[in-house]
Amino acid sequence: MRRIFIIIWAAVICLCSCDKETLRPTFESDIQKLYGEYTLADIHWPGLAVDLNYDGTGYWSLLYEFQSKVGYYEPDYTANVADGIIFSSDDPWAEPTAAFNVTLPYPHYVMSEGKWICTDIRSIKVTLRATEDTFKLGSNCCWIYPGYTDQDDLFLVNIQDISLYVESIDATTFKVGIHCKLPHDYTDGTQKLDDNYLYYTFSR
């Protein structure tokens, strides 16, 4: 009788443990809520106002400014969130990864008479990899440091880092921030390079 009681008790504990394990959220189950296809919805610059189309007015919400420049092609600016590649699942350091694959438009600048001039819009493709250790809600995370060295592309060469920003695991949007410099044009004709994050919002 005692043996039967011990077996039943062990079975109950096992079932409870399995049930708790099933109900307990994991990084994989959470991050998969963000999986899917997205399109570019907004471009925001929180620094000094920027005038990309040279209409005499600087802006912080820059999507319209981008759209008015040669080279902006709306169908290109999409994002896909899916399982990331794990090179070797046998390695002890291997861990589940989500890949945020994005195409970002950026202002292409040239130097003319000592000033930055935006001539057109170009694009870069970037993958930001999120793991349980690198992914954080409500703050910039999953940084990459591209280290562009082409001195002829003033915007790219001044990028310090690129990061991911997700407000909530149930959100229908996410942001990609490029830590960079953009020129602010003063009314007296002078120009100042402002250092901040250019944020791209992608929406389902």
Side-chain angles (χ1 to χ4, degrees):
M1 185 71 180
R2 175 183 170 84
R3 184 178 178 184
I4 294 173
F5 176 77
I6 292 173
I7 292 174
I8 293 174
W9 180 248
V12 170
I13 291 175
C14 181
L15 287 172
C16 290
S17 298
C18 291
D19 186 53
K20 286 181 180 178
E21 187 65 28
T22 301
L23 295 176
R24 184 172 61 85
T26 65
F27 168 75
E28 288 181 88
S29 63
D30 277 347
I31 201 72
Q32 286 174 3
K33 295 178 182 179
L34 297 171
Y35 282 16
E37 305 295 325
Y38 296 75
T39 55
L40 182 64
D42 189 31
I43 304 174
H44 182 73
W45 175 253
L48 297 173
V50 174
D51 183 8
L52 288 180
N53 61 3
Y54 304 110
D55 62 358
T57 304
Y59 296 90
W60 295 271
S61 183
L62 297 180
L63 184 59
Y64 174 76
E65 296 276 297
F66 273 69
Q67 292 171 337
S68 67
K69 301 292 292 186
V70 171
Y72 185 91
Y73 187 64
E74 196 162 293
D76 283 350
Y77 311 127
T78 60
N80 166 268
V81 184
D83 286 334
I85 295 173
I86 300 176
F87 291 103
S88 176
S89 58
D90 295 330
D91 287 329
W93 50 262
E95 55 185 333
T97 303
F100 289 73
N101 307 301
V102 299
T103 302
L104 307 171
Y106 74 89
H108 177 242
Y109 286 94
V110 298
M111 186 66 71
S112 177
E113 298 180 355
K115 295 178 65 176
W116 281 30
I117 303 296
C118 179
T119 59
D120 60 303
I121 300 298
R122 299 187 181 183
S123 64
I124 54 174
K125 295 180 181 293
V126 174
T127 295
L128 296 168
R129 294 167 58 81
T131 68
E132 188 168 9
D133 289 335
T134 64
F135 183 73
K136 301 290 185 296
L137 291 174
S139 64
N140 290 57
C141 62
C142 307
W143 284 272
I144 61 172
Y145 304 90
Y148 295 105
T149 58
D150 183 1
Q151 297 296 323
D152 292 330
D153 197 314
L154 297 176
F155 179 84
L156 291 185
V157 80
N158 279 278
I159 291 178
Q160 297 184 43
D161 59 73
I162 303 176
S163 59
L164 177 69
Y165 183 96
V166 179
E167 185 65 39
S168 164
I169 206 66
D170 297 311
T172 57
T173 64
F174 70 87
K175 296 178 182 179
V176 174
I178 297 184
H179 189 184
C180 60
K181 293 180 180 179
L182 289 180
H184 173 74
D185 296 292
Y186 291 99
T187 54
D188 62 2
T190 60
Q191 195 177 65
K192 174 188 176 181
L193 291 183
D194 191 23
D195 184 295
N196 216 307
Y197 274 91
L198 182 60
Y199 281 105
Y200 299 80
T201 299
F202 287 89
S203 177
R204 287 199 257 223

